[in-house]
Each structure stands twice: as structure tokens, then as C-alpha cells.
Amino acid sequence: MFSLKSNGTTIIKRILTTKILFKSYSTSSNVTVTRNDKYSQVTEEDISYFKSILEEGGVITDKDDLRMYNTDWMNKYKGNSKVALRPKTTEQISAILKHCHSRSLAVVPQGGNTGLVGGSVPVFDEVILSLGLMNKIEKVDQSSGVVTCQAGVVLETLDHHLSRFGYTVPVDLGAKGSCQIGGNVSTNAGGIRLLRYGSLHANVLGIEAVLADGTVLDNLSCLRKDNTGYDMKHVFIGSEGSLGVITRVSLLTPPRPTSVNVAMFGCKDFASVLVALQRAKTELGEILSAFEFLDRKSMDKVVAHGKAKDPLSESHDFYFLIETSGSNKDHDKAKLDLFLENILAAEVVSDGVVAENVTQATDIWKVRETIPEALQKAGAVYKYDLSLPLSHFYKIVEVMQDRLGDKATAMGYGHVGDGNVHLNISAPSYSKEIYDIIEPFVYEYVAEQRGSISA
């Protein structure tokens, strides 16, 4: 085991020179990728070795049992792996990767498999390394709020555990009931409260990871301030398993809010959404924890497929959702009431509703969080998670709709507070014609605006 702090230069060399065997690319259904012959195929001898180091049930080879590991959440991307491994310890992962490295067996690390772009399933016959059984929450420091846990802990499970100590996780996703903290860190998942707590780069204090050759890297610091040597955890945050498998995480968690308010508003155009965002940041300040938006077409999909109801009595071209989180109910309500009064008086919004209880708040959030499920029920969907300057945030949807004409429907929703738009193109079925209209244009447009591909 190496300490990244004490052996920074050595570890950098090891990371750069280790023969990477992890799957580090994805493919569209319209792109042909040829298997690289330098990678070996799994043999019975490999299976026997894996069984020798894992407990019963840790090696999955049955075709039917493998289906869930070979298929992504959208049922769009399908691999052909012959084995899925379910280790429980870092030592087991180290042994697995050391063996795969020596045999030139490609590996795809897999967390909760909740991604929407096929990144967590095999392209061909890679060995699937599932982290689901590495689900121990090891320690919560009640004074600092720092939690240490294995990478396979489900995000919602971690949040429930932290609630006993008065803390909450700093990242919140629609897939929180299935996604795992290791996958969140590996993809630098943002979510609906990045506006309040920042990205995982700001909240992860340390990691433990295993390189492709089985080397265990110990960077599991629990210190909020640690200026010793290279801070290598940031290299692994967002690396998507291409540099190594994150096995343990130490996370700084904020105090759990005791006063939460949720409201949804309708407005006539996206310019009004941006005005509301600016005023919310100014007038709600430190209690603003989320600012989400969706367009009319997204709302229509949610309502049409029975996932949720429109909370407002009349339809609107644009909607935005606000959440405030604090510790003083009267103080927070006074700030929210003043904000509501001001945006109504300025005619920034046409209508709105404020949740009066937890059930109503849940129903409002359900509108935003069930859009992906509704789109999946609607047919084929092309999904792009983009970061753009706010001046171009919704223009990509409008430009894409112009390009598509009546062949498909472009719609947008996402995290306006941090400039992250989810561009979705809904169509009756997948086709090369639609794909060619979308790509590579969408990437060229983002590059021209100096944006980025967020996921």
C-alpha cells in the first residue's frame, strides 16, 4: 500500500505508466467499435481464481443473472461480459485487478449502474467489477461531520445514516435510492444541491483507490486542511474508473437543515427564469439550496406518462423550482415571503405554489426528478448533460429543435444555478437520421460557447 502524500512523485509515475486495463470509453448505437485483440478473454482458469478469493455468490456467471450487469439503466447499451465479480474488501479488489493486469483482461468498474450514457456497462466482454457489496459505513465523526465509508454505500442509505447524527450528504440526485457514493465520486456527480454545497471536489477529503496493477493507494485523509504534498484525490474525482477503482471515501458532510421550504413557479420565457435566479441569489442568499428549471415539453412528458401532476392550475412555457434550507423556520419563511412578493410584483412569474407540508414538497420535487423516467416511457431518447454559460443555457434546446423540425422533440431541464442543462431529444424510435442531425453538432456548439460535457 502506498500513501499518496508521502510518495507523491512515485505514485504519479505509477499512475502514468501502469498499463490501463479499465474500459474508458463509451459508444453510441450508431458507432461501430472493434474489440482490441490485445485484451484476453476470460477462461475457466480465471473463473476458478476469482472463486478462490471471493466468497460464495461473489462470482456471477449465469447468463440470466448477468443481464442486469450487462445492461444500462435505459436498456439502450448492452455488453456481453461472461462474469461479474462482487468483492467485499479492498484487498479482494487488489487481487482481482492484479490478476486481470497480468492476464490482460479488460475491466469495467460498476457502481449502482444508474448512469444514462452507458459508461458503467461493458462494450464487449470486459470483466464487470461490481462494488455493491462494499457497503459498510465505517465511521461518522460527530464533531466534524466527516464520514468514512466504502464505495458501494448507496447515497440514500448514507444520508439516512447521517441523519442520526444531524448531518446530510452534500450531493443529492434523482437516482439517490440506487446510486453509490463511489460512483458519485468517480463521475464527480453534481445534482440538485451543487448550488449550495459545491461539487464533490469541495467535499471529498480523501479516497482509497486501487490501480489497474493492484496497487492500493491510501489517500484517505479526514482532514479538512491538509497541505502535505500532492492532493491526488482530485485526479480520481471525475476520472470515471479510468485511473483506478475508488474503494473508500472520506466525505465532509454539512449540518442537516431543520427548516426546508419548496416552491414552484411558472413564467412566460427563459429570460424570466434568469431574472428569478438572480433575485433568488440576492434575496434568499445563504438559505437558497436549489434552483431547478424545466420547460413545457418536459412537464408534458411527466404528466402524460403518469409520473407526477402539474402543481400549478394553468400551463406555462417555463417552470422553476426553488428550495431553501436553513435552521430558523421564521427567519427562512420571512425571506421567502419577501422574495415571492417581489417577483410577483415585478411580474417575473405568472403563477406559483409553496409547499405547506412534506407531502406537497415531495410532490413538487417529483415533477423534476421523474423527467428521465417519463422520457424513457415516451420512446427513444437522446440525452446530453451539458454545462453552458447562462446566456446560451436554453438556446441549445431551441437551436436543436430548429435542426430536428418535426422529426423529434427537443426539450430541456436542469440545474440553472450551476449552468447545467439536460438536453433531451425524444423520438418514437432511434434512427441514424436523427443521430446525424444531433451529432457532432451538439459537441461543436458546446465547444464554441466554451462549455463542457458534464456527464
Side-chain angles (χ1 to χ4, degrees):
M1 180 178 292
F2 287 83
S3 169
L4 288 177
K5 290 296 183 180
S6 60
N7 299 280
T9 304
T10 301
I11 295 305
I12 289 174
K13 289 180 179 178
R14 185 177 289 270
I15 291 173
L16 293 177
T17 59
T18 296
K19 183 180 180 183
I20 299 298
L21 297 179
F22 301 113
K23 171 198 161 205
S24 57
Y25 57 90
S26 60
T27 181
S28 163
S29 56
N30 290 283
V31 177
T32 300
V33 179
T34 304
R35 188 185 188 281
N36 193 328
D37 290 337
K38 75 177 183 180
Y39 295 119
S40 303
Q41 294 185 341
V42 175
T43 65
E44 287 300 321
E45 288 74 18
D46 295 318
I47 299 297
S48 296
Y49 175 77
F50 296 143
K51 287 183 177 179
S52 73
I53 61 174
L54 297 178
E55 299 173 23
E56 186 176 354
V59 180
I60 299 173
T61 56
D62 181 80
K63 187 175 181 179
D64 291 335
D65 293 339
L66 282 169
R67 189 173 292 114
M68 62 180 288
Y69 298 95
N70 271 315
T71 309
D72 78 315
W73 183 83
M74 291 183 62
N75 202 35
K76 181 179 179 182
Y77 301 96
K78 295 180 175 63
N80 193 36
S81 177
K82 302 299 189 293
V83 60
L85 307 178
R86 305 182 72 203
K88 291 184 176 181
T89 68
T90 300
E91 292 73 23
Q92 289 174 339
I93 289 182
S94 177
I96 290 167
L97 294 184
K98 184 177 181 180
H99 176 83
C100 290
H101 184 265
S102 67
R103 286 269 297 114
S104 291
L105 294 171
V107 177
V108 54
Q110 186 176 99
N113 200 16
T114 59
L116 304 178
V117 293
S120 59
V121 296
V123 175
F124 300 107
D125 56 353
E126 299 94 310
V127 173
I128 298 172
L129 184 62
S130 171
L131 280 293
L133 294 183
M134 293 193 63
N135 54 12
K136 292 181 180 179
I137 301 173
E138 298 173 354
K139 180 182 178 182
V140 177
D141 187 318
Q142 297 185 49
S143 298
S144 65
V146 176
V147 59
T148 304
C149 64
Q150 289 183 308
V153 175
V154 172
L155 184 62
E156 190 170 53
T157 301
L158 181 59
D159 190 52
H160 288 331
H161 185 82
L162 287 167
S163 68
R164 296 161 47 191
F165 305 96
Y167 293 98
T168 186
V169 289
V171 58
D172 193 352
L173 309 169
K176 56 181 172 280
S178 303
C179 66
Q180 298 169 9
I181 190 62
N184 300 151
V185 175
S186 294
T187 57
N188 192 24
I192 57 182
R193 297 197 176 96
L194 187 145
L195 176 65
R196 174 69 170 269
Y197 300 119
S199 76
L200 284 169
H201 278 289
N203 295 284
V204 173
L205 299 182
I207 63 158
E208 177 188 77
V210 183
L211 295 186
D213 65 354
T215 301
V216 179
L217 306 181
D218 181 6
N219 187 214
L220 202 65
S221 171
C222 291
L223 300 176
R224 189 166 186 178
K225 183 178 182 180
D226 187 351
N227 293 337
T228 309
Y230 297 101
D231 200 349
M232 293 296 294
K233 66 174 179 287
H234 292 298
V235 177
F236 286 86
I237 298 172
S239 65
E240 301 185 4
S242 60
L243 298 179
V245 178
I246 294 176
T247 52
R248 294 165 72 205
V249 176
S250 57
L251 188 69
L252 178 66
T253 65
R256 197 172 197 86
T258 56
S259 168
V260 178
N261 295 290
V262 178
M264 179 170 274
F265 303 91
C267 48
K268 61 183 179 181
D269 52 33
F270 187 70
S272 298
V273 175
L274 294 184
V275 171
L277 171 62
Q278 182 180 15
R279 299 191 73 147
K281 290 193 289 187
T282 301
E283 298 175 22
L284 297 175
E286 78 286 352
I287 65 170
L288 180 63
S289 54
F291 192 108
E292 301 287 303
F293 111 101
L294 61 148
D295 59 14
R296 175 74 250 167
K297 291 177 283 188
S298 298
M299 177 67 82
D300 287 342
K301 293 294 183 185
V302 170
V303 173
H305 294 281
K307 306 311 295 184
K309 295 180 180 179
D310 188 337
L312 306 185
S313 57
E314 297 181 4
S315 64
H316 302 272
D317 289 335
F318 292 88
Y319 297 79
F320 66 90
L321 181 159
I322 280 181
E323 180 190 77
T324 66
S325 302
S327 58
N328 187 312
K329 183 177 180 180
D330 294 336
H331 167 269
D332 296 352
K333 187 176 185 304
K335 294 192 75 167
L336 182 59
D337 287 346
L338 180 60
F339 169 75
L340 300 180
E341 181 181 330
N342 289 341
I343 61 172
L344 285 168
E347 298 183 347
V348 176
V349 299
S350 308
D351 193 10
V353 60
V354 179
E356 296 181 353
N357 51 54
V358 174
T359 300
Q360 291 180 4
T362 300
D363 288 342
I364 291 175
W365 267 117
K366 190 176 181 181
V367 173
R368 166 62 183 85
E369 292 182 338
T370 58
I371 297 174
E373 296 177 43
L375 284 167
Q376 189 178 16
K377 287 181 175 290
V381 57
Y382 302 82
K383 307 182 78 67
Y384 300 89
D385 195 328
L386 314 171
S387 289
L388 286 165
L390 290 180
S391 58
H392 290 274
F393 187 91
Y394 195 72
K395 285 183 181 179
I396 181 63
V397 181
E398 298 170 333
V399 171
M400 188 60 71
Q401 188 62 71
D402 289 342
R403 289 176 59 84
L404 290 164
D406 60 0
K407 296 181 178 65
T409 302
M411 60 197 73
Y413 63 96
H415 321 300
V416 187
D418 55 75
N420 183 197
V421 60
H422 301 316
L423 169 66
N424 284 251
I425 292 93
S426 179
S429 60
Y430 293 106
S431 75
K432 187 177 186 303
E433 180 185 15
I434 293 176
Y435 175 81
D436 289 342
I437 293 173
I438 301 170
E439 295 187 19
F441 171 78
V442 64
Y443 302 119
E444 294 168 349
Y445 182 92
V446 171
E448 287 173 2
Q449 312 311 324
R450 300 185 70 83
S452 73
I453 310 301
S454 302

